[in-house]
Amino acid sequence: MVDVIRVKDAPSRRGQECTIQGWIYRIRSGGGIVFAIVRDGTGILQATVRKGAVPPQGFQEAIGATPESSVIIRGVIAEDKRALGGYELRATDFHLVSSSPPFPVRKGQSASMLLDNRHLWLRSRELNAILKIRAAVFGSIHEYFDLEGFIETQAPSFVSGACEGGATLFKVPYFSTSVYLTQSAQLYLEALITTLGRVYTVAPSFRAERSRTRRHLTEFWHAEAEAAWYSEEDMMTTEEQLVKHVCDTVSAHNEGEFGILGVAPQHIAIELPLERVTYEEALEKAGRAGVELRWGDDLDYRAERAITAQAEQPFFVTHYPKKAKAFYHRPDPRRPETVLCHDLLAPQGYGELTTGGERIARLDVLMQRIEEAKLDPKDYDWYIDLRRYGSVPHAGFGLGIDRLVKWITRAEHIQQVVPFPRTMRRMRP
Ligand code: 4AD
Ligand code: MG
């Protein structure tokens, strides 16, 4: 389209006549002039519509335009210190494309009302900023893996066996039988490393989590990586570099969005290497903060919040008890009651971002763990095969992208950082 520009490009078009297409953010009129603030996804720009400067029909349409109406405005870009952003569009024509009745979503409404109207609330400046940061997080995850030679691949969403335990599986009808929605691509990635070496996926995972915490979704976005010949320590280095790369990228490129959110991104300035604390040290820390756990318990939400509340940097927790973690983790040869598995926890109370570790490479050890975990080897026949045909030491991890975005934007609830969140009680819009 000739001369149609986006709001963010307005400063470079000073003095030129061009067209803006968007929605009315705010509007007021009086004394033969209409001040309309327009948003178009890239920013907001004030348009001044003067009687006589636009055709009479256009002026009538401007007078009648309401917030959230869609509009096309033609005009000359001019510098104006009083206008938001320092520029304005002096209209030469105004076209009301589609008007909007009073908008049902306003600042200060209850969280559940805002979630019911998520399809409309998405237009808020706050959500626009969060979604742009979220996009930058996804982009920089791909960028990091690409730089490190990990090849992007895909795993199925319909699966026949559990990766993370049967308690959180969604069962779905599948012709004359039933299958599950995937909890993790991991087992498939372990197969894919035998052809590609280092692989990753970015895809949704599903968990029938009954928890109503601020960090659980039933459908979440999962970045998962797996690499042949990697030790647990190699994978921890990959994880911390990935998180640092994402944080550095968004801090550098999303200043405007952080400004809208009122967040100074100093909290994501990461210094490597990150601290590694053992599970036992974490238990002690939790105990001192008043959360008592017994050796063998997984660190729950409360424990994680307690041990990360005062931290300033993310840190790893290592050497989890075997019984607290999934069947595929390699037992530590020096302490076989623990596994070569770790979590990366975000500071300031945010908690778990990743879980990763080294996998069992030996067939006999894997068979024993499958038996101990009371799983049916038939469900894992192809996975077991991977230990029969040229097994290699390997490691991997999964990163909860929504949780990472939550910490980066300092959101209170994970639902705030997902366009259309899915939880136990929320399936629409
Ligand atoms: O810790 P999890 O369950 O680990 C796995 O699924 C491994 N198989 C990953 C792997 O090694 N490839 O999940 C990984 C991450 C968690 O650390 C958390 O950040 C996120 O996924 N996550 C959730 N995020 C939102 N809502 C939920 N219900 C989540 N469950 C896990
Ligand atoms: Mg975990």
Side-chain angles (χ1 to χ4, degrees):
M1 260 174 290
V2 193
D3 284 350
V4 175
I5 66 157
R6 306 199 76 191
V7 165
K8 71 172 171 41
D9 299 323
S12 67
R13 296 301 200 101
R14 201 170 68 174
Q16 296 175 20
E17 188 169 13
C18 42
T19 298
I20 296 279
Q21 310 174 118
W23 292 262
I24 301 285
Y25 177 62
R26 278 192 210 127
I27 190 158
R28 66 189 166 86
S29 56
I33 180 162
V34 177
F35 293 98
I37 297 178
V38 188
R39 57 172 187 84
D40 75 341
T42 70
I44 57 177
L45 180 68
Q46 172 172 293
T48 48
V49 190
R50 276 172 207 281
K51 194 172 184 171
V54 297
Q57 166 78 12
F59 191 71
Q60 280 317 307
E61 291 187 12
I63 290 276
T66 50
E68 296 309 327
S69 299
S70 49
V71 295
I72 298 175
I73 311 174
R74 189 159 177 78
V76 177
I77 303 285
E79 213 170 337
D80 187 329
K81 296 265 175 302
R82 293 161 304 176
L84 225 132
Y87 287 85
E88 69 166 13
L89 183 71
R90 300 196 172 139
T92 54
D93 204 356
F94 187 102
H95 177 49
L96 178 64
V97 178
S98 176
S99 65
S100 170
F103 206 57
V105 179
R106 282 177 308 279
K107 249 200 170 114
Q109 281 172 330
S110 75
S112 86
M113 172 89 175
L114 291 173
L115 283 163
D116 287 342
N117 282 304
R118 190 69 168 181
H119 55 300
L120 301 175
W121 184 30
L122 289 172
R123 304 179 186 200
S124 68
R125 291 194 82 201
E126 186 197 13
L127 262 168
N128 175 279
I130 289 175
L131 295 179
K132 284 180 184 164
I133 292 173
R134 185 178 167 94
V137 168
F138 275 73
S140 54
I141 288 173
H142 288 289
E143 190 176 67
Y144 174 80
F145 281 129
D146 191 39
L147 286 169
E148 292 300 312
F150 283 74
I151 295 175
E152 186 179 15
T153 186
Q154 291 78 32
S157 294
F158 289 136
V159 299
S160 50
C163 179
E164 296 302 320
T168 62
L169 279 174
F170 278 113
K171 196 172 183 173
V172 290
Y174 196 80
F175 304 108
S176 58
T177 175
S178 57
V179 292
Y180 305 109
L181 293 180
T182 188
Q183 298 166 309
S184 162
Q186 180 193 321
L187 307 187
Y188 296 93
L189 297 187
E190 287 185 60
L192 284 155
I193 57 167
T194 63
T195 171
L196 297 170
R198 296 179 194 174
V199 296
Y200 80 97
T201 57
V202 175
S205 282
F206 303 88
R207 304 280 169 101
E209 305 260 21
R210 296 200 168 271
S211 27
R212 280 187 232 124
T213 69
R214 291 156 182 265
R215 59 175 200 171
H216 281 97
L217 297 164
T218 50
E219 175 177 359
F220 68 95
W221 277 81
H222 208 170
E224 294 182 89
E226 201 71 29
W229 313 109
Y230 267 44
S231 66
E232 183 186 30
E233 185 54 41
D234 294 333
M235 216 20 110
M236 284 159 79
T237 304
T238 300
E239 285 163 60
E240 63 185 6
Q241 285 179 352
L242 167 66
V243 170
K244 179 173 168 60
H245 179 77
V246 171
C247 291
D248 288 354
T249 307
V250 297
S251 301
H253 297 295
N254 293 85
E255 214 181 328
E257 285 74 37
F258 282 110
I260 289 167
L261 298 177
V263 170
Q266 276 100 341
H267 69 294
I268 54 169
I270 289 181
E271 281 174 44
L272 298 187
L274 297 176
E275 196 188 347
R276 281 104 165 110
V277 306
T278 63
Y279 170 78
E280 275 90 9
E281 288 165 340
L283 279 196
E284 269 171 39
K285 257 193 191 192
R288 283 197 298 274
V291 181
E292 293 297 336
L293 290 175
R294 274 174 315 185
W295 195 95
D297 294 341
D298 201 1
L299 298 180
D300 61 8
Y301 184 40
R302 278 173 43 243
E304 281 185 11
R305 204 173 41 197
I307 65 176
T308 62
Q310 304 305 323
E312 284 176 5
Q313 291 275 312
F315 61 91
F316 287 103
V317 177
T318 64
H319 296 88
Y320 278 91
K322 190 166 79 172
K323 64 177 175 183
K325 293 289 178 183
F327 71 96
Y328 49 72
H329 292 293
R330 180 179 172 207
D332 184 343
R334 283 165 303 186
R335 285 184 63 196
E337 73 285 9
T338 67
V339 280
L340 295 174
C341 162
H342 56 267
D343 282 359
L344 177 61
L345 307 183
Q348 298 116 19
Y350 281 88
E352 181 178 344
L353 293 176
T354 76
T355 293
E358 194 175 324
R359 320 308 190 185
I360 296 171
R362 271 176 49 184
L363 178 63
D364 56 337
V365 181
L366 182 64
M367 294 311 289
Q368 191 194 332
R369 281 297 288 134
I370 285 179
E371 197 185 314
E372 276 170 16
K374 300 193 169 54
L375 299 169
D376 185 350
K378 281 209 289 297
D379 290 339
Y380 299 91
D381 53 358
W382 63 267
Y383 182 71
I384 294 165
D385 254 1
L386 304 175
R387 276 72 187 168
R388 288 201 180 99
Y389 301 96
S391 184
V392 291
H394 62 287
F397 73 91
L399 162 73
I401 305 177
D402 315 283
R403 289 196 183 168
L404 179 60
V405 178
K406 178 181 180 231
W407 172 55
I408 287 176
T409 60
R410 307 198 88 147
E412 269 181 34
H413 202 297
I414 196 165
Q415 295 186 47
Q416 281 170 265
V417 305
V418 184
F420 294 99
R422 293 288 176 255
T423 64
M424 196 178 155
R425 288 184 299 180
R426 188 163 291 283
M427 285 301 289
R428 62 181 302 278

